[in-house]
Amino acid sequence: GAVVSQHPSRVICKSGTSVKIECRSLDFQATTMFWYRQFPKQSLMLMATSNEGSKATYEQGVEKDKFLINHASLTLSTLTVTSAHPEDSSFYICSAALVGQVGYEQYFGPGTRLTVT
Amino acid sequence: RKEVEQDPGPFNVPEGATVAFNCTYSNSASQSFFWYRQDCRKEPKLLMSVYSSGNEDGRFTAQLNRASQYISLLIRDSKLSDSATYLCVVVPWNQGGKLIFGQGTELSVKP
């Protein structure tokens, strides 16, 4: 099956710093990648949809200036949490959709656990 | 009202039991339906798609009732390894492939 990687898997940072998370599709090209956030005991919430070569589409309530998304190639999307605060501590997961099959066969990365102290 | 709602759980069952999870969705324009499984502190993994005619994969059976906007998952002869959180997922037809997740139902299978 298709493989999606995320880096780093875990990060601890101080309040006020920025953190970049990478999401890569390893063996397929993904025109669309999705970024989710999951707080403890809650379900995944979509933050934004990232399309290669264009601006990301953010869900209501998600600050685009705080969560910067770049999808520069068909295999890489990055999420940068700027000026992180403790309330940004969460499990961030990306998924990638196979070209031509958006809405079917989304493959998830292993997630990045962010802790802001 | 949440777009996708599931049984709150947790479900604690003995090995070998049959367990059923229920899920309802509010958007009648939904086109695709899935069950995902998520282990603690891991990413969700696709368990199975859900088709209108109902479908079965080994011990797992999924049902969809579009008229009632209801989805179910039945697990027969449950194993210890089935312990996880089961997520009901709905894909609206006109939202660019966005997945809408239910809050999940936790299953714990005991020896």
Side-chain angles (χ1 to χ4, degrees), chain A residues 28-100:
Chain A
F28 67 99
Q29 293 184 325
T31 54
T32 303
M33 289 184 173
F34 300 88
W35 286 97
Y36 297 84
R37 179 167 54 182
Q38 185 176 34
F39 292 106
K41 299 292 186 184
Q42 294 185 28
S43 192
L44 280 76
M45 295 298 295
L46 180 65
M47 297 175 68
T49 302
S50 168
N51 291 296
E52 186 263 338
S54 63
K55 289 184 179 179
T57 302
Y58 290 81
E59 295 298 300
Q60 192 171 11
V62 178
E63 300 173 57
K64 61 178 172 48
D65 295 328
K66 180 171 179 63
F67 299 99
L68 302 179
I69 291 172
N70 184 281
H71 193 158
S73 76
L74 287 171
T75 59
L76 172 65
S77 176
T78 60
L79 168 68
T80 301
V81 183
T82 62
S83 187
H85 289 95
E87 58 266 29
D88 298 323
S89 298
S90 188
F91 191 43
Y92 291 85
I93 308 175
C94 71
S95 72
L98 285 172
V99 175

Side-chain angles (χ1 to χ4, degrees), chain B residues 2-45:
Chain B
K2 291 180 183 174
E3 288 188 76
V4 181
E5 292 204 61
Q6 295 184 237
D7 290 331
F11 283 35
N12 297 299
V13 303
E15 266 187 295
T18 295
V19 60
F21 300 131
N22 301 313
C23 172
T24 57
Y25 60 96
S26 60
N27 185 350
S28 59
S30 299
Q31 68 172 141
S32 305
F33 309 88
F34 305 92
W35 283 100
Y36 277 73
R37 168 197 169 123
Q38 185 175 26
D39 292 288
C40 189
R41 303 175 80 82
K42 300 281 188 182
E43 77 276 22
K45 292 190 187 292

